[in-house]
Amino acid sequence: MAEADTLFDKIVRKEIPADIIYEDETCLAFRDIAPTAKTHFLVIPKNRDGLSRLSKAESRHETLIGHLLVVAAKVAKEEGLGEDGFRTVINDGKHGCQSVYHLHVHVIGG
Ligand code: AMP
């Protein structure tokens, strides 16, 4: 069954604008529209492959999730967060305060 479209799918397809700061074949990083710190961006998979939330992760997703974290660190460095560090957050589900059901890593710093 096809997965329901998310807001972030529309950003991936460039149907709605976003401040994209990194893109490769498998993922996209863009600035959060409601930043909670000086620097706040999200890293998302272009193809969710069932990952509406982290709790849906299966062994086939190991490479993809690892890639999201490597990209989070690389872009954080490019954003000047390499020295002082940053926070990464993955909210999951209702009790995790998740609002967009398309896996995303928050990177927050500065
Ligand atoms: P979460 O609450 O973990 O699901 O995080 C969703 C995040 O997406 C929130 O921090 C929102 O501010 C952010 N967000 C929602 N819509 C947009 C958008 N159009 N562009 C960029 N960030 C967005």
Side-chain angles (χ1 to χ4, degrees):
M1 200 171 69
E3 296 177 72
D5 222 17
T6 69
L7 174 68
F8 291 170
D9 285 313
K10 293 189 173 70
I11 289 177
V12 169
R13 295 197 302 263
K14 317 271 166 73
E15 288 170 9
I16 61 170
D19 189 353
I20 295 169
I21 53 178
Y22 176 87
E23 179 166 15
D24 65 22
E25 278 178 13
T26 50
C27 74
L28 196 67
F30 53 93
R31 296 193 195 284
D32 196 291
I33 205 166
T36 60
K38 189 160 167 260
T39 303
H40 183 173
F41 63 89
L42 306 173
V43 186
I44 69 167
K46 286 184 170 175
N47 175 6
R48 241 175 314 139
D49 185 24
L51 285 172
S52 52
R53 53 197 281 191
L54 184 61
S55 54
K56 300 278 187 185
E58 296 178 14
S59 51
R60 75 172 191 277
H61 296 120
E62 281 176 10
T63 302
L64 174 61
I65 293 171
H67 183 66
L68 296 179
L69 292 178
V70 170
V71 167
K74 173 183 155 65
V75 179
K77 270 190 215 135
E78 288 169 5
E79 289 287 310
L81 304 176
E83 186 89 358
D84 291 335
F86 51 89
R87 172 178 290 176
T88 50
V89 175
I90 301 175
N91 294 323
D92 183 274
K94 187 170 67 169
H95 285 190
C97 299
Q98 185 177 3
S99 60
V100 180
Y101 280 75
H102 183 135
L103 181 70
H104 52 280
V105 180
H106 292 259
V107 180
I108 302 161

